[in-house]
Amino acid sequence: MKKFLVLFMAVLCIAVLVFGHTYWKNKSKAAEIEGRSAVEKLLEKEKAEKQALINSLKPENNKKQSFIDFLRYRALTENQVKVSVVGSNVTAAIGATDSSYGWAELLRKQLQSDTADIGSLRFVNHGYEGYSTSDLLTSKKIDLVIKEKPDLIIFENSLINNHLQSLTIEQTTQDLQNIMAALKTGLPNARIFIMSPNPVVNKDTKNSLGLTYMDYINASKELITKNSWQYIDSISGIEKKLTEENLILVDVLTNDYINPNNKGNWIWFEFLYEFLKSQ
C-alpha cells in the first residue's frame, strides 16, 4: 500500500509538471503572438503617421513651403539631407575670430537641431578666401558642389572680390549665368538660392574700372530678377537687423570695413535663418 501511495504521488507530480509545462508554454506562446501583434500595429501606426507627414510636406501640396519644411521632406524621403554653401571670404568666416562664429557654421548647428528627429543632415561649407565668381568656375569649385549632390545650395555671390579684382560687369554677369546653368543642369531637383554678400562701408568707392561695389550688386540683381532665380538680399536683411538692434554698420565689421566680425556673422545668421523659415 505504501509503495502504491509513493507511486501514485510520483505519477501525480509528473502529471502536474507536464500540465504546468504545457500550460505555461501555451501561455508564453499566446503572449508572444500578442506581443508580435502589438509591435506590428505600432509599426503600422508609425508608418501611417510618417506617410501623412510626408504628404503634408510634399512640395506640390505646399506651394509656400519653407526651407526648413523642404529639408524635413527630403530627410523623410531620402533618410539624409545635404546642404552646401559656396562663396568667398564671408562664407569662409574671414573676419570672425573662429570659423565656429561664422554665419555658415551657426546655420549648420541650427539646421541640425531642426532636423534631428527625422534624419541626418550633411552640411558642407565651400567658402574660399579671395575667390571671385571667375575663380569659382576656373578652379572647378562649382563642379565639386555638384558632385556632392546636395538638396539645397546657398550660393554667396562673390561680388566683394569681383569689385576688388576689377572684373568687368559683363564678366560678372556671364560668370553668374554659367554658375547657375551648371548648378541647374547638374542638380535639377535641388533648391538653389543666390545670396548677395554683406553691406560694406565703402560701397561707393570706385575700382580701377570706375565701378562701385553697388554697381556689381545692382547688375547681378537685375540678372537674377530677369531669370526668376531665388534671391536672398543680405544687404537689406542685415541693414534691417542693424536698425532693429540700434547698431551701425561699423559695429559689425572688422577693421577693413568689409568682412563681418563675430557680431556681424551672428546678425547675418539671424536674418538668414528667419528668411529661410518664412519662405
Side-chain angles (χ1 to χ4, degrees):
M1 184 69 181
K2 191 173 183 180
K3 289 182 179 179
F4 175 78
L5 288 174
V6 171
L7 181 62
F8 175 77
M9 290 301 294
V11 171
L12 182 62
C13 288
I14 292 171
V16 169
L17 288 173
V18 170
F19 175 79
H21 175 72
T22 303
Y23 173 80
W24 287 111
K25 184 178 179 181
N26 292 336
K27 191 83 170 176
S28 177
K29 188 174 181 180
E32 182 182 347
I33 294 172
E34 185 178 345
R36 192 183 307 124
S37 176
V39 170
E40 288 175 354
K41 288 180 180 178
L42 181 61
L43 291 174
E44 287 175 3
K45 181 182 178 182
E46 290 178 349
K47 184 178 179 181
E49 289 174 348
K50 181 179 179 180
Q51 189 58 53
L53 180 58
I54 290 173
N55 291 338
S56 71
L57 294 173
K58 277 185 178 180
E60 56 266 35
N61 298 338
N62 191 352
K63 299 302 182 182
K64 294 184 178 180
Q65 185 183 59
S66 72
F67 163 79
I68 304 301
D69 281 348
F70 170 75
L71 289 185
R72 288 170 61 81
Y73 175 72
R74 283 297 177 92
L76 284 165
T77 55
E78 304 295 335
N79 295 320
Q80 185 183 61
V81 62
K82 300 176 184 177
V83 177
S84 290
V85 294
V86 58
S88 58
N89 302 40
V90 291
T91 302
I94 304 303
T97 55
D98 184 83
S99 61
S100 62
Y101 293 101
W103 65 262
E105 180 63 12
L106 294 169
L107 181 63
R108 179 191 69 80
K109 291 177 181 177
Q110 184 62 56
L111 294 181
Q112 283 189 323
S113 175
D114 289 342
T115 59
D117 62 324
I118 54 172
S120 59
L121 170 73
R122 183 164 180 253
F123 190 103
V124 184
N125 186 340
H126 292 281
Y128 305 99
E129 183 179 1
Y131 272 51
S132 65
T133 52
S134 293
D135 293 328
L136 290 172
L137 285 166
T138 57
S139 63
K140 298 189 181 299
K141 301 301 184 186
I142 301 302
D143 294 343
L144 184 60
V145 173
I146 294 171
K147 187 177 180 180
E148 293 171 348
K149 299 187 182 302
D151 299 287
L152 179 126
I153 305 104
I154 300 175
F155 165 46
E156 176 251 315
N157 204 1
S158 309
L159 300 181
I160 289 176
N161 290 318
N162 283 37
H163 175 247
L164 293 174
Q165 295 174 21
S166 294
L167 269 66
T168 64
I169 294 295
E170 291 75 19
Q171 182 65 58
T172 297
T173 55
Q174 186 61 56
D175 287 343
L176 185 53
Q177 286 178 315
N178 291 341
I179 288 171
M180 289 301 292
L183 290 174
K184 285 184 172 292
T185 300
L187 301 166
N189 297 318
R191 289 186 66 177
I192 305 167
F193 287 94
I194 305 173
M195 180 170 65
S196 71
N198 56 284
V200 301
V201 170
N202 300 318
K203 65 179 182 179
D204 296 320
T205 300
K206 295 182 178 181
N207 61 15
S208 62
L209 298 177
L211 297 170
T212 68
Y213 174 57
M214 293 307 298
D215 289 331
Y216 290 85
I217 292 289
N218 293 332
S220 295
K221 190 172 182 179
E222 182 179 344
L223 179 65
I224 291 166
T225 302
K226 179 181 177 181
N227 286 279
S228 299
W229 294 329
Q230 291 184 298
Y231 182 59
I232 302 174
D233 187 350
S234 299
I235 294 178
S236 296
I238 292 172
E239 288 177 343
K240 182 181 178 182
K241 276 285 184 184
L242 292 177
T243 300
E244 291 172 353
E245 300 189 24
N246 198 28
L247 296 169
I248 59 175
L249 186 55
V250 293
D251 293 332
V252 298
L253 298 178
T254 57
N255 292 335
D256 62 8
Y257 298 132
I258 294 175
N259 293 303
N261 57 23
N262 289 356
K263 180 63 175 177
N265 273 280
W266 178 260
I267 284 178
W268 195 332
F269 155 70
E270 283 188 315
F271 145 72
L272 178 57
Y273 184 63
E274 289 173 7
F275 175 88
L276 294 174
K277 282 198 302 182
S278 67
Q279 280 295 297

